Amino acid sequence: MDHLDQLEAQSIYIFREAFARLKKIALLWSLGKDSNVMIWLARKAFFGKMPFPALHVDTGKKFPEMYRFRDYYGKEWDLDLRVEPCPPIDAVDPTLPPAARSAARKTEGLKMALGKYGFDGLIAGIRRDEEATRAKERVFSPRGLEGNWDVRDQPPEFWDHFNASPPQGAHLRIHPILHWTEADIWAYTKRENIPIIPLYLSKDGKRYRSLGDQDITNPVASTASTIDEILIELEQTKVPERSGRALDHETEDAFERLRVAGYL
Amino acid sequence: MNMIVSPASPATPNGTTRPQVSIVIVGHVDHGKSTLVGRLLHETGSLPDGKLDMLKAVSARRGMPFEWSFLLDALQTERDQGITIDTTQIRFRTNSRDIVLIDAPGHAEFLRNMITGASQADGAVLIIDALEGVRDQTRRHGYLLHLLGVKQVAVVVNKMDRVDFSADRFKAISDEISAHLSGLGVKPTALIPISARDGDGVADLTDRIGWYKGPTVVQALDSLEPARPLEALALRLPVQAIYKFDDRRIVAGRIESGSLQAGDEIVIMPAGKIARIKTVESWPVTQVSGRQGAGRSVGITLDRELFIERGDIVAHANSVPRETRRLRARIFWLHDKPLAKGDQLLVRCGPKESRATVVAIEKAVDPGELENRENKAIGRNHVGEIDISLSNPIATDPYTENPRTGRLVIEVSGRIAGGGLVLSVDAGQRAVPVDIVPVESALRSDERSARYQHNGAVVWFTGLPASGKSTLAKVLERRLFTNGGSPILLDGDTLRAGLNSDLGFSAADRSENIRRLAEVATHLARNGHIAIVAAVSPAREDRATARRIADTAFREIHVATPAEICEERDPKGHYRKARAGALASFTGIGNDYEAPQAAELVIDTSTRTVAEAADEIEQMLKATGVLFDEAVDLAANI
């Protein structure tokens, strides 16, 4: 088994545990490279069929290429796609800096979707290498009744034994690709021939490394116009993956505050 | 996985695979762990370019002499800043091995970290300060290595420069630690005098330790044996789920050890059912060919429909895991509330979970105060050995035979509260009930008897397949019911479809099948019903068990129809199949039916009609006090 085989087998194990141990789960599909890999892995885990819905919490501010991708592959992959809207900006905590506040709409949209469907598990495509607070995550991460994350009181998790009993009304976040890196995602996307949104590839000397909303995501300088070139670029770069995400840079703790409140 | 230092490639230049060995370095604080690690990385050429210069500059700026431990400190800073995330493993290479050094830092949470990290270690380096000698922490770490089942321990006596490289001092410490470790069942693989700071004994034997003739630290690491690769162990595929998204019925799970491929004959434990792997399924390409090894998440289909459930283990027929309801485990405890004898828990062994009771605490130790042994409870962050009784049978292996299936976690209130290693398995032993208080019925037995006109009883029909047991049982059921009684038919096959669906046809499973039939029947009899059991029940011993359980309520009817006639009848076609060799473990062909010697009644259905036989049974039931002749007497009691 090579490195990618190991990552894949581990993710499949996590998917199957989530499906077996929780009653009602959904996969959060943000349309980005990570969640596309995640859907691919889910289809591997369940032999071609993803037996739970793909939930797109839609801010309405994604790039047109992303909506086209969603509408096409939602059908092509035979997904049970649920698109759920987010509340307007003035419904969100006004003490947050602008970009974080904009991102927090997604947290609220997520809470509304949770209430609407009663999911007890949400599968999310976060990775440890993305950002320091994500590095501290568990694979099965319990959330409070308000969707909040208690960093200081996380249950022990070892030997692939996960805690899967959320309290009544609360839910778990399940992270099947927590152990992957950005480079792993690209190498696997290439190996498996998983479709991607073209915004990731360089155009006029710029490309997106991470895709969020139009108003809070910026492209980075890059000449990488193929996945192979992206992989070479990643080996050399010292620029963090989320450098194009405005909300990470507003205040030191903005992202942590968001995550504690239930953001991905 | 992020690497701090030179990523190890599994292949040597000539293409052969280098063995990979995981080690953990433990020892008392300040005995020189980080210095040794820094020195090892340097001596094995594992530091990235410029790192050494950077450290020298850092030391100079602080006005301090150069210290190898700065290397790990620098890594620690990187970690704190979140630049390098997964630093639990530092890699370096010796001549013939790729070494993965498992970093188990953090004093306060030492146990949790050490367990999670070092539970995967193949070997350990235990470090002792030559000046201070063996300390509490040294003994504590020795104990933890024993707890984790780490058997290869290289002991290094560090800071020999502080004792003038005294051979006597080295011998004294060596003797003391050897005695301690061997008391725990751990034999040191090497005892090495070193000065990690100066390099004596690390990669080279210097003149200063000229009297020492053993291996260097690097040589000692070089001779550590890697754990047996999981693929070389017996097949263990714990079932995560059964999927039926289309016409395939796929058994899904991860191969924890061994390997499998289509065509293999397998056994599903704990039930012991046998099948053959028809296909190995995958997506987007279906039906992968070739052998699939440990670590793979797979899906298989079988050549027959079997009742399989999450937590069952797929194994090869020649080496199956043990089935048990009792096991002994060495555990570490992380929960606030101490674990005490009699506690109810949930135990997970892979995907299998079972309610469990702590039958005994054999040993409980605070790894910080090893002297204070007790056996009442295991406190938070303490370790111990316990006996557990399980309410469901599970299939497992002792940790020494299979590290993947031989470990378990314990859940309390839905949260992981501890974990440990399976030390031994009491195969086939029954769970011991603890604090079970049966609830009594609201009704008295004479109230029921008055209504039904009979006492409760277990009427047990035994005999060869097709001897007429079920036919007679059903006729009896109809008659008793017509007369206002409360008969309940317990047919062996019917119960196998539900209550006993976890059981196969091994001798042990057949015994358990009979035991459960007897328990259910006896419960009904105690509540005034007549439980009519129709089961081949070929083993005399098993029927004796049933009689013991039902006690005075037991009435045995031997349906003694001659074997030739049974085979001639063959209503279910079983004899035909068995003669053709297509039905394993079929009673009737061969001599495995042990006829009763003292049945309450013997009936040969080839010499009398069903109605005559039913009359005889009724008479026997009246004669032995089950059925009442006079209804009136009892009605007066109401």
Side-chain angles (χ1 to χ4, degrees), chain A residues 1 5 9-10 12-13 16-17 20-21 43-44 46-48 51 135 153-156 158-161 163 165, chain B residues 85 116 119 240 243 245 250 253-254 281 283 294-295 297-299 310 332 348 350 407-409 411 415-416 420:
Chain A
M1 278 175 88
D5 291 335
Q10 175 71 3
I12 290 175
Y13 185 83
R16 289 175 177 170
E17 283 302 289
R21 296 194 55 196
R43 294 168 82 206
K44 281 220 177 190
F46 306 110
F47 303 96
D153 184 31
Q154 299 197 79
F158 45 85
W159 294 338
D160 290 339
H161 280 281
N163 296 277
S165 314
Chain B
I85 303 301
T116 27
S119 57
Q240 276 184 289
Y243 299 134
F245 299 123
I250 301 177
R254 183 172 60 191
E281 299 289 335
W283 182 90
S297 288
V298 297
R310 179 172 155 85
F332 47 92
R348 291 184 187 285
R407 61 199 187 190
L408 51 83
V409 301
E411 227 180 78
R415 190 171 163 135
I416 291 171

Short mmCIF file of all heavy atoms in Angstrom, two decimals, chain A residues 1 5 9-10 12-13 16-17 20-21 43-44 46-48 51 135 153-156 158-161 163 165, chain B residues 85 116 119 240 243 245 250 253-254 281 283 294-295 297-299 310 332 348 350 407-409 411 415-416 420:
data_model
loop_
_atom_site.label_atom_id
_atom_site.label_comp_id
_atom_site.label_asym_id
_atom_site.label_seq_id
_atom_site.Cartn_x
_atom_site.Cartn_y
_atom_site.Cartn_z
N MET A 1 0.85 -1.21 0.00
CA MET A 1 0.00 0.00 0.00
C MET A 1 0.87 1.24 0.00
O MET A 1 1.74 1.37 0.85
CB MET A 1 -0.85 0.03 1.27
CG MET A 1 -2.09 -0.80 1.18
SD MET A 1 -2.94 -0.81 2.77
CE MET A 1 -3.96 0.61 2.64
N ASP A 5 -2.90 5.15 -0.77
CA ASP A 5 -3.76 4.00 -0.43
C ASP A 5 -4.09 4.01 1.07
O ASP A 5 -5.21 3.72 1.47
CB ASP A 5 -3.04 2.68 -0.74
CG ASP A 5 -2.88 2.45 -2.23
OD1 ASP A 5 -3.68 3.02 -3.01
OD2 ASP A 5 -1.95 1.72 -2.62
N ALA A 9 -7.76 4.28 2.66
CA ALA A 9 -8.33 3.21 3.48
C ALA A 9 -8.80 3.75 4.83
O ALA A 9 -9.84 3.36 5.34
CB ALA A 9 -7.30 2.10 3.68
N GLN A 10 -8.02 4.67 5.39
CA GLN A 10 -8.38 5.26 6.68
C GLN A 10 -9.65 6.11 6.56
O GLN A 10 -10.54 6.02 7.41
CB GLN A 10 -7.20 6.11 7.17
CG GLN A 10 -7.45 6.89 8.45
CD GLN A 10 -7.52 6.00 9.67
OE1 GLN A 10 -7.34 4.79 9.57
NE2 GLN A 10 -7.83 6.58 10.81
N ILE A 12 -12.04 5.78 4.34
CA ILE A 12 -13.18 4.88 4.11
C ILE A 12 -13.63 4.28 5.44
O ILE A 12 -14.83 4.19 5.73
CB ILE A 12 -12.78 3.78 3.10
CG1 ILE A 12 -12.62 4.41 1.71
CG2 ILE A 12 -13.83 2.66 3.07
CD1 ILE A 12 -12.12 3.44 0.64
N TYR A 13 -12.65 3.91 6.26
CA TYR A 13 -12.99 3.36 7.58
C TYR A 13 -13.82 4.36 8.37
O TYR A 13 -14.84 4.01 8.98
CB TYR A 13 -11.70 3.03 8.34
CG TYR A 13 -11.95 2.35 9.67
CD1 TYR A 13 -12.17 0.98 9.72
CD2 TYR A 13 -11.99 3.08 10.85
CE1 TYR A 13 -12.41 0.35 10.94
CE2 TYR A 13 -12.24 2.46 12.06
CZ TYR A 13 -12.45 1.09 12.10
OH TYR A 13 -12.71 0.48 13.30
N ARG A 16 -17.41 4.69 7.05
CA ARG A 16 -18.26 3.55 7.40
C ARG A 16 -18.63 3.58 8.88
O ARG A 16 -19.73 3.20 9.25
CB ARG A 16 -17.54 2.25 7.04
CG ARG A 16 -17.45 2.06 5.53
CD ARG A 16 -16.64 0.83 5.17
NE ARG A 16 -16.63 0.61 3.73
CZ ARG A 16 -15.85 -0.27 3.13
NH1 ARG A 16 -15.01 -1.00 3.84
NH2 ARG A 16 -15.89 -0.42 1.81
N GLU A 17 -17.70 4.05 9.72
CA GLU A 17 -18.03 4.18 11.14
C GLU A 17 -19.13 5.21 11.34
O GLU A 17 -20.07 4.99 12.11
CB GLU A 17 -16.79 4.58 11.95
CG GLU A 17 -15.82 3.44 12.22
CD GLU A 17 -16.48 2.27 12.96
OE1 GLU A 17 -16.79 2.41 14.15
OE2 GLU A 17 -16.70 1.23 12.32
N ALA A 20 -22.43 3.82 10.22
CA ALA A 20 -22.92 2.75 11.08
C ALA A 20 -23.38 3.27 12.44
O ALA A 20 -24.31 2.74 13.03
CB ALA A 20 -21.82 1.69 11.28
N ARG A 21 -22.72 4.29 12.94
CA ARG A 21 -22.95 4.64 14.35
C ARG A 21 -23.87 5.83 14.56
O ARG A 21 -24.31 6.07 15.67
CB ARG A 21 -21.61 4.87 15.05
CG ARG A 21 -20.79 3.57 15.07
CD ARG A 21 -19.64 3.59 16.00
NE ARG A 21 -20.06 3.93 17.35
CZ ARG A 21 -19.20 4.32 18.29
NH1 ARG A 21 -17.93 4.43 18.01
NH2 ARG A 21 -19.63 4.62 19.49
N ARG A 43 -18.12 7.61 -2.04
CA ARG A 43 -18.62 6.68 -3.06
C ARG A 43 -17.77 5.40 -3.06
O ARG A 43 -18.28 4.32 -3.33
CB ARG A 43 -18.64 7.36 -4.43
CG ARG A 43 -19.66 8.50 -4.46
CD ARG A 43 -19.49 9.36 -5.69
NE ARG A 43 -20.14 8.77 -6.86
CZ ARG A 43 -19.74 9.02 -8.12
NH1 ARG A 43 -18.69 9.80 -8.33
NH2 ARG A 43 -20.37 8.47 -9.13
N LYS A 44 -16.48 5.55 -2.75
CA LYS A 44 -15.65 4.33 -2.62
C LYS A 44 -16.11 3.50 -1.43
O LYS A 44 -16.19 2.28 -1.51
CB LYS A 44 -14.19 4.71 -2.42
CG LYS A 44 -13.51 5.11 -3.68
CD LYS A 44 -12.09 4.56 -3.75
CE LYS A 44 -11.51 4.95 -5.10
NZ LYS A 44 -10.25 4.30 -5.41
N PHE A 46 -18.96 3.28 -0.08
CA PHE A 46 -20.28 2.66 -0.20
C PHE A 46 -20.54 2.13 -1.62
O PHE A 46 -21.66 2.06 -2.08
CB PHE A 46 -21.36 3.65 0.26
CG PHE A 46 -21.09 4.17 1.65
CD1 PHE A 46 -20.70 5.50 1.85
CD2 PHE A 46 -21.17 3.34 2.75
CE1 PHE A 46 -20.42 5.97 3.13
CE2 PHE A 46 -20.90 3.80 4.03
CZ PHE A 46 -20.52 5.12 4.22
N PHE A 47 -19.47 1.80 -2.30
CA PHE A 47 -19.52 1.10 -3.57
C PHE A 47 -20.35 1.82 -4.64
O PHE A 47 -21.20 1.25 -5.30
CB PHE A 47 -19.99 -0.34 -3.34
CG PHE A 47 -19.10 -1.06 -2.37
CD1 PHE A 47 -19.44 -1.13 -1.03
CD2 PHE A 47 -17.89 -1.59 -2.77
CE1 PHE A 47 -18.59 -1.74 -0.11
CE2 PHE A 47 -17.03 -2.19 -1.86
CZ PHE A 47 -17.39 -2.27 -0.53
N GLY A 48 -20.09 3.12 -4.74
CA GLY A 48 -20.67 3.89 -5.84
C GLY A 48 -21.84 4.75 -5.44
O GLY A 48 -22.19 5.70 -6.13
N PRO A 51 -24.88 7.09 0.51
CA PRO A 51 -26.20 6.81 1.09
C PRO A 51 -26.70 7.87 2.07
O PRO A 51 -27.44 7.55 2.98
CB PRO A 51 -25.97 5.47 1.80
CG PRO A 51 -24.53 5.49 2.19
CD PRO A 51 -23.81 6.34 1.18
N ALA A 135 -5.96 21.62 13.58
CA ALA A 135 -5.00 20.57 13.95
C ALA A 135 -5.38 19.91 15.26
O ALA A 135 -5.04 18.76 15.52
CB ALA A 135 -3.60 21.17 14.06
N ASP A 153 -12.44 20.55 26.30
CA ASP A 153 -12.98 19.30 26.82
C ASP A 153 -13.32 18.35 25.68
O ASP A 153 -14.48 18.04 25.43
CB ASP A 153 -14.22 19.58 27.68
CG ASP A 153 -14.73 18.30 28.32
OD1 ASP A 153 -13.91 17.40 28.60
OD2 ASP A 153 -15.95 18.18 28.51
N GLN A 154 -12.29 17.91 25.00
CA GLN A 154 -12.53 16.97 23.92
C GLN A 154 -12.30 15.55 24.43
O GLN A 154 -11.39 15.30 25.20
CB GLN A 154 -11.56 17.25 22.78
CG GLN A 154 -11.73 18.63 22.18
CD GLN A 154 -11.06 18.71 20.83
OE1 GLN A 154 -11.59 18.25 19.84
NE2 GLN A 154 -9.85 19.25 20.81
N PRO A 155 -13.15 14.63 23.99
CA PRO A 155 -12.99 13.26 24.49
C PRO A 155 -11.73 12.61 23.95
O PRO A 155 -11.26 12.96 22.87
CB PRO A 155 -14.23 12.55 23.95
CG PRO A 155 -14.67 13.36 22.79
CD PRO A 155 -14.26 14.77 23.05
N PRO A 156 -11.14 11.68 24.71
CA PRO A 156 -10.00 10.94 24.18
C PRO A 156 -10.41 10.15 22.94
O PRO A 156 -11.55 9.71 22.84
CB PRO A 156 -9.62 9.98 25.30
CG PRO A 156 -10.45 10.33 26.47
CD PRO A 156 -11.57 11.19 26.02
N PHE A 158 -8.49 7.28 20.38
CA PHE A 158 -7.28 6.59 19.94
C PHE A 158 -7.61 5.24 19.33
O PHE A 158 -8.73 4.73 19.50
CB PHE A 158 -6.28 6.42 21.10
CG PHE A 158 -6.88 5.95 22.38
CD1 PHE A 158 -7.07 4.60 22.61
CD2 PHE A 158 -7.30 6.85 23.33
CE1 PHE A 158 -7.64 4.17 23.78
CE2 PHE A 158 -7.88 6.42 24.51
CZ PHE A 158 -8.05 5.08 24.74
N TRP A 159 -6.66 4.69 18.62
CA TRP A 159 -6.81 3.39 17.97
C TRP A 159 -8.04 3.32 17.07
O TRP A 159 -8.69 2.28 16.98
CB TRP A 159 -6.91 2.27 19.01
CG TRP A 159 -5.68 2.05 19.81
CD1 TRP A 159 -4.41 2.41 19.50
CD2 TRP A 159 -5.60 1.41 21.09
NE1 TRP A 159 -3.55 2.02 20.50
CE2 TRP A 159 -4.25 1.41 21.48
CE3 TRP A 159 -6.55 0.82 21.93
CZ2 TRP A 159 -3.82 0.85 22.68
CZ3 TRP A 159 -6.12 0.28 23.11
CH2 TRP A 159 -4.77 0.28 23.49
N ASP A 160 -8.39 4.42 16.45
CA ASP A 160 -9.57 4.44 15.58
C ASP A 160 -10.86 4.08 16.31
O ASP A 160 -11.78 3.52 15.72
CB ASP A 160 -9.40 3.51 14.38
CG ASP A 160 -8.37 4.05 13.42
OD1 ASP A 160 -8.11 5.26 13.46
OD2 ASP A 160 -7.82 3.27 12.63
N HIS A 161 -10.89 4.39 17.59
CA HIS A 161 -12.15 4.27 18.31
C HIS A 161 -12.68 5.68 18.52
O HIS A 161 -12.00 6.51 19.11
CB HIS A 161 -11.95 3.56 19.65
CG HIS A 161 -11.88 2.08 19.50
ND1 HIS A 161 -13.00 1.31 19.33
CD2 HIS A 161 -10.85 1.23 19.44
CE1 HIS A 161 -12.65 0.03 19.20
NE2 HIS A 161 -11.34 -0.04 19.26
N ASN A 163 -15.75 8.53 19.58
CA ASN A 163 -16.91 8.77 20.42
C ASN A 163 -18.07 9.17 19.51
O ASN A 163 -17.96 10.15 18.79
CB ASN A 163 -16.62 9.90 21.40
CG ASN A 163 -15.51 9.53 22.37
OD1 ASN A 163 -15.75 8.87 23.37
ND2 ASN A 163 -14.28 9.92 22.04
N SER A 165 -21.63 9.28 20.44
CA SER A 165 -22.94 9.42 21.08
C SER A 165 -23.19 10.88 21.46
O SER A 165 -22.97 11.28 22.58
CB SER A 165 -23.01 8.56 22.34
OG SER A 165 -22.51 7.28 22.09
N ILE B 85 2.71 20.39 12.05
CA ILE B 85 1.62 19.94 12.90
C ILE B 85 1.87 18.55 13.46
O ILE B 85 1.89 18.35 14.66
CB ILE B 85 0.29 19.94 12.11
CG1 ILE B 85 0.02 21.33 11.55
CG2 ILE B 85 -0.83 19.49 13.02
CD1 ILE B 85 -0.05 22.42 12.59
N THR B 116 -1.09 6.59 23.70
CA THR B 116 -1.51 6.75 22.31
C THR B 116 -0.33 6.66 21.36
O THR B 116 -0.41 6.04 20.32
CB THR B 116 -2.27 8.08 22.09
OG1 THR B 116 -1.83 9.00 23.06
CG2 THR B 116 -3.74 7.91 22.23
N SER B 119 1.97 3.06 22.16
CA SER B 119 1.30 1.78 22.01
C SER B 119 1.68 1.14 20.69
O SER B 119 1.46 -0.03 20.47
CB SER B 119 -0.21 1.95 22.11
OG SER B 119 -0.65 2.86 21.15
N GLN B 240 -17.61 -3.96 9.64
CA GLN B 240 -18.15 -2.65 10.01
C GLN B 240 -19.63 -2.55 9.70
O GLN B 240 -20.39 -1.93 10.42
CB GLN B 240 -17.42 -1.53 9.26
CG GLN B 240 -16.12 -1.10 9.92
CD GLN B 240 -15.50 0.07 9.17
OE1 GLN B 240 -15.00 -0.10 8.06
NE2 GLN B 240 -15.53 1.24 9.76
N TYR B 243 -23.76 -3.95 3.49
CA TYR B 243 -24.44 -3.01 2.60
C TYR B 243 -25.21 -3.77 1.54
O TYR B 243 -24.74 -4.76 0.98
CB TYR B 243 -23.43 -2.10 1.90
CG TYR B 243 -22.63 -1.25 2.86
CD1 TYR B 243 -21.26 -1.12 2.73
CD2 TYR B 243 -23.26 -0.58 3.91
CE1 TYR B 243 -20.53 -0.34 3.59
CE2 TYR B 243 -22.54 0.21 4.79
CZ TYR B 243 -21.17 0.33 4.63
OH TYR B 243 -20.45 1.10 5.48
N PHE B 245 -26.94 -1.97 -1.32
CA PHE B 245 -27.43 -0.82 -2.09
C PHE B 245 -27.97 -1.27 -3.44
O PHE B 245 -28.68 -0.56 -4.10
CB PHE B 245 -26.30 0.19 -2.31
CG PHE B 245 -25.75 0.74 -1.02
CD1 PHE B 245 -24.41 0.62 -0.71
CD2 PHE B 245 -26.60 1.36 -0.10
CE1 PHE B 245 -23.90 1.13 0.49
CE2 PHE B 245 -26.11 1.86 1.09
CZ PHE B 245 -24.75 1.75 1.39
N ILE B 250 -22.89 -6.79 0.45
CA ILE B 250 -21.46 -6.60 0.65
C ILE B 250 -21.12 -6.52 2.14
O ILE B 250 -21.72 -5.74 2.88
CB ILE B 250 -20.97 -5.33 -0.06
CG1 ILE B 250 -21.27 -5.43 -1.57
CG2 ILE B 250 -19.48 -5.11 0.18
CD1 ILE B 250 -20.89 -4.19 -2.36
N GLY B 253 -15.49 -3.81 5.67
CA GLY B 253 -14.65 -3.62 6.86
C GLY B 253 -13.21 -3.42 6.45
O GLY B 253 -12.88 -3.46 5.26
N ARG B 254 -12.36 -3.19 7.45
CA ARG B 254 -10.95 -3.01 7.17
C ARG B 254 -10.18 -4.26 7.57
O ARG B 254 -10.42 -4.80 8.65
CB ARG B 254 -10.42 -1.80 7.93
CG ARG B 254 -8.94 -1.51 7.63
CD ARG B 254 -8.49 -0.22 8.25
NE ARG B 254 -8.64 -0.26 9.70
CZ ARG B 254 -8.52 0.81 10.49
NH1 ARG B 254 -8.27 1.99 9.97
NH2 ARG B 254 -8.66 0.69 11.78
N GLU B 281 -15.27 -6.61 -3.72
CA GLU B 281 -15.91 -5.52 -4.47
C GLU B 281 -15.16 -4.21 -4.27
O GLU B 281 -14.52 -4.01 -3.23
CB GLU B 281 -17.35 -5.34 -3.99
CG GLU B 281 -18.23 -6.56 -4.19
CD GLU B 281 -18.57 -6.81 -5.66
OE1 GLU B 281 -18.56 -5.83 -6.45
OE2 GLU B 281 -18.84 -7.97 -6.00
N TRP B 283 -14.99 0.20 -6.01
CA TRP B 283 -15.56 1.22 -6.87
C TRP B 283 -14.44 2.20 -7.21
O TRP B 283 -13.61 2.45 -6.36
CB TRP B 283 -16.69 1.95 -6.13
CG TRP B 283 -17.35 2.98 -6.97
CD1 TRP B 283 -18.41 2.82 -7.80
CD2 TRP B 283 -16.95 4.36 -7.08
NE1 TRP B 283 -18.69 3.99 -8.43
CE2 TRP B 283 -17.82 4.96 -8.02
CE3 TRP B 283 -15.95 5.14 -6.52
CZ2 TRP B 283 -17.73 6.30 -8.38
CZ3 TRP B 283 -15.84 6.48 -6.88
CH2 TRP B 283 -16.73 7.05 -7.80
N ALA B 294 -3.47 -6.31 4.84
CA ALA B 294 -3.78 -5.52 6.04
C ALA B 294 -3.76 -4.03 5.75
O ALA B 294 -2.89 -3.55 5.03
CB ALA B 294 -2.79 -5.86 7.14
N GLY B 295 -4.70 -3.31 6.33
CA GLY B 295 -4.77 -1.87 6.15
C GLY B 295 -5.82 -1.45 5.14
O GLY B 295 -6.31 -0.33 5.18
N SER B 297 -9.37 -1.04 3.37
CA SER B 297 -10.80 -1.08 3.64
C SER B 297 -11.44 -1.75 2.44
O SER B 297 -11.33 -1.27 1.32
CB SER B 297 -11.35 0.34 3.80
OG SER B 297 -10.93 0.89 5.02
N VAL B 298 -12.08 -2.88 2.67
CA VAL B 298 -12.58 -3.67 1.55
C VAL B 298 -14.07 -3.98 1.71
O VAL B 298 -14.69 -3.67 2.72
CB VAL B 298 -11.82 -5.01 1.42
CG1 VAL B 298 -10.36 -4.78 1.11
CG2 VAL B 298 -11.98 -5.86 2.66
N GLY B 299 -14.61 -4.60 0.68
CA GLY B 299 -15.96 -5.15 0.74
C GLY B 299 -15.92 -6.50 0.07
O GLY B 299 -15.31 -6.66 -0.98
N ARG B 310 -22.51 -6.38 12.32
CA ARG B 310 -21.40 -5.49 12.67
C ARG B 310 -20.68 -6.04 13.90
O ARG B 310 -21.31 -6.40 14.89
CB ARG B 310 -21.96 -4.10 12.96
CG ARG B 310 -20.93 -3.08 13.35
CD ARG B 310 -21.56 -1.70 13.43
NE ARG B 310 -20.81 -0.83 14.32
CZ ARG B 310 -19.73 -0.12 13.95
NH1 ARG B 310 -19.34 -0.17 12.70
NH2 ARG B 310 -19.10 0.63 14.81
N PHE B 332 -5.56 1.31 30.94
CA PHE B 332 -5.29 2.62 31.53
C PHE B 332 -6.63 3.34 31.61
O PHE B 332 -7.51 3.15 30.78
CB PHE B 332 -4.29 3.41 30.69
CG PHE B 332 -4.61 3.41 29.23
CD1 PHE B 332 -5.37 4.41 28.67
CD2 PHE B 332 -4.13 2.40 28.42
CE1 PHE B 332 -5.66 4.41 27.31
CE2 PHE B 332 -4.42 2.39 27.06
CZ PHE B 332 -5.19 3.39 26.51
N ARG B 348 -15.63 -1.88 23.70
CA ARG B 348 -15.53 -1.96 22.24
C ARG B 348 -14.25 -2.69 21.87
O ARG B 348 -13.18 -2.33 22.33
CB ARG B 348 -15.43 -0.57 21.61
CG ARG B 348 -16.65 0.22 21.70
CD ARG B 348 -16.47 1.54 20.95
NE ARG B 348 -17.62 2.35 21.21
CZ ARG B 348 -18.81 2.14 20.64
NH1 ARG B 348 -18.95 1.18 19.75
NH2 ARG B 348 -19.83 2.87 20.96
N GLY B 350 -12.72 -3.33 18.37
CA GLY B 350 -13.02 -3.02 16.98
C GLY B 350 -14.46 -2.51 16.89
O GLY B 350 -14.92 -1.84 17.80
N ARG B 407 -6.86 -5.36 21.35
CA ARG B 407 -6.97 -4.16 22.17
C ARG B 407 -8.42 -3.72 22.23
O ARG B 407 -9.22 -4.02 21.36
CB ARG B 407 -6.07 -3.05 21.63
CG ARG B 407 -6.40 -2.62 20.24
CD ARG B 407 -5.22 -1.87 19.63
NE ARG B 407 -5.58 -1.30 18.34
CZ ARG B 407 -4.71 -0.76 17.50
NH1 ARG B 407 -3.44 -0.71 17.81
NH2 ARG B 407 -5.10 -0.28 16.35
N LEU B 408 -8.73 -2.99 23.27
CA LEU B 408 -10.12 -2.59 23.45
C LEU B 408 -10.19 -1.19 24.05
O LEU B 408 -9.21 -0.68 24.60
CB LEU B 408 -10.83 -3.59 24.38
CG LEU B 408 -10.17 -3.94 25.70
CD1 LEU B 408 -10.49 -2.90 26.77
CD2 LEU B 408 -10.66 -5.29 26.17
N VAL B 409 -11.33 -0.58 23.90
CA VAL B 409 -11.57 0.66 24.63
C VAL B 409 -12.82 0.49 25.47
O VAL B 409 -13.67 -0.36 25.19
CB VAL B 409 -11.71 1.92 23.73
CG1 VAL B 409 -10.47 2.13 22.91
CG2 VAL B 409 -12.95 1.85 22.87
N GLU B 411 -16.09 2.43 27.25
CA GLU B 411 -16.89 3.63 27.16
C GLU B 411 -17.76 3.76 28.40
O GLU B 411 -18.33 2.77 28.87
CB GLU B 411 -17.78 3.52 25.92
CG GLU B 411 -17.79 4.75 25.06
CD GLU B 411 -18.69 4.58 23.85
OE1 GLU B 411 -19.92 4.69 23.99
OE2 GLU B 411 -18.16 4.32 22.77
N ARG B 415 -18.82 7.99 26.20
CA ARG B 415 -17.53 8.64 25.99
C ARG B 415 -16.40 7.68 26.34
O ARG B 415 -16.48 6.96 27.34
CB ARG B 415 -17.48 9.87 26.90
CG ARG B 415 -16.31 10.79 26.63
CD ARG B 415 -16.50 12.07 27.44
NE ARG B 415 -15.24 12.78 27.51
CZ ARG B 415 -15.11 14.09 27.32
NH1 ARG B 415 -16.15 14.83 27.08
NH2 ARG B 415 -13.94 14.66 27.40
N ILE B 416 -15.35 7.66 25.54
CA ILE B 416 -14.23 6.77 25.79
C ILE B 416 -13.59 7.14 27.12
O ILE B 416 -13.25 8.30 27.35
CB ILE B 416 -13.21 6.82 24.63
CG1 ILE B 416 -13.83 6.18 23.38
CG2 ILE B 416 -11.93 6.10 25.01
CD1 ILE B 416 -13.02 6.37 22.13
N GLY B 420 -7.16 -0.51 26.61
CA GLY B 420 -6.12 -1.41 27.06
C GLY B 420 -5.93 -2.58 26.13
O GLY B 420 -6.45 -2.61 25.01
#
